[in-house]
Amino acid sequence: MIIGPKYKIARRLGTALFEKTQTQKFAARSAERKTSKPRPKSEYGLGLIEKQKARFGYGITSKQFGNYIAKATAKKGSTADHLVTLLESRLDNVALRGGFASTRSGARQMTSHGHLTVNGTIVTIPSYEVKVGDVIGIREGSKKKALFSSLDERLKNVKLPSWLKLNFDKKEVTVEGIPSANTTELVFNVGTVLEFYSR
């Protein structure tokens, strides 16, 4: 039985944000809740829920998320695409998307402990923004650690987004494109979040 803060957050937001809540039991309970008569929510309430989905989905604070919104809004072009690019380009996110880690918290820890490299240089900042052409790898001295004992299996089963390319033999992931709202599977509604912040 799943009991804990993450389960309660996922249940409240109505989506399996965390790996531990991605179970058949959670899905069944969520389906039951959806078939029951839901309480009507205001536009503000809906926006707040989507904001929380985004925050918890990427494991960032409200202040960090607000900063990403500000950066995306300040740029010319599609604010939605800019926001997704900023969030998806985080090094810890790429470690998760690329199959190096099985959970987002694990990816963040993996980064902060100096196990990952960008273009051969160790980077310990989870929020580090990767660019097109960057190659994310595993520090040579870390490859034999227990943390990566099931790496081959994870890499064989990983479903990479179109903007990442995996080199299985070298255990490297190359950023080949720019993530956007159209190329990335998201757990939150970008438009609703932007409307929430535009109030």
Side-chain angles (χ1 to χ4, degrees):
M1 183 175 181
I2 304 171
I3 298 176
K6 286 187 176 181
Y7 179 79
K8 290 179 180 178
I9 290 169
R11 187 176 63 180
R12 186 177 78 243
L13 299 180
T15 184
L17 286 171
F18 311 105
E19 289 74 10
K20 288 184 178 181
T21 61
Q22 294 170 359
T23 64
Q24 290 183 342
K25 190 171 184 178
F26 181 88
R29 288 192 175 184
S30 295
E32 288 176 8
R33 287 168 63 87
K34 288 177 182 177
T35 55
S36 61
K37 190 175 181 180
R39 287 180 292 180
K41 289 185 175 63
S42 64
E43 287 186 13
Y44 177 86
L46 292 172
L48 182 61
I49 286 175
E50 292 304 313
K51 171 197 169 184
Q52 299 291 57
K53 285 182 182 179
R55 273 194 53 228
F56 289 117
Y58 287 96
I60 56 180
T61 65
S62 184
K63 182 178 180 180
Q64 285 177 310
F65 191 68
N67 289 337
Y68 282 127
I69 291 285
K71 287 181 181 179
T73 304
K75 294 184 177 184
K76 294 181 179 180
S78 169
T79 303
D81 282 340
H82 292 321
L83 177 60
V84 173
T85 299
L86 289 168
L87 293 170
E88 286 289 312
S89 296
R90 288 173 55 97
L91 180 56
D92 58 355
N93 181 72
V94 174
L96 177 65
R97 296 282 195 193
F100 290 165
S102 57
T103 66
R104 191 168 294 280
S105 59
R108 187 164 53 249
Q109 186 179 50
M110 184 181 292
T111 308
S112 60
H113 287 186
H115 297 302
L116 300 182
T117 63
V118 178
N119 302 325
T121 301
I122 295 173
V123 177
T124 59
I125 305 170
S127 62
Y128 178 88
E129 185 179 349
V130 300
K131 309 288 186 185
V132 174
D134 282 350
V135 179
I136 294 82
I138 300 170
R139 185 174 67 89
E140 199 60 40
S142 299
K143 289 181 179 178
K144 294 183 179 180
K145 291 185 177 293
L147 182 66
F148 298 103
S149 60
S150 58
L151 180 61
D152 282 0
E153 184 179 349
R154 286 203 300 271
L155 294 182
K156 286 177 182 178
N157 297 310
V158 68
K159 184 179 178 182
L160 286 175
S162 60
W163 49 277
L164 292 179
K165 183 178 181 180
L166 171 68
N167 184 319
F168 183 87
D169 294 331
K170 291 185 177 181
K171 305 295 184 289
E172 292 178 344
V173 171
T174 302
V175 181
E176 291 203 323
I178 300 173
S180 68
N182 295 323
T183 62
T184 306
E185 188 176 334
L186 302 171
V187 297
F188 69 102
N189 186 299
V190 186
T192 303
V193 168
L194 293 177
E195 287 178 14
F196 176 81
Y197 274 92
S198 67
R199 293 176 182 277

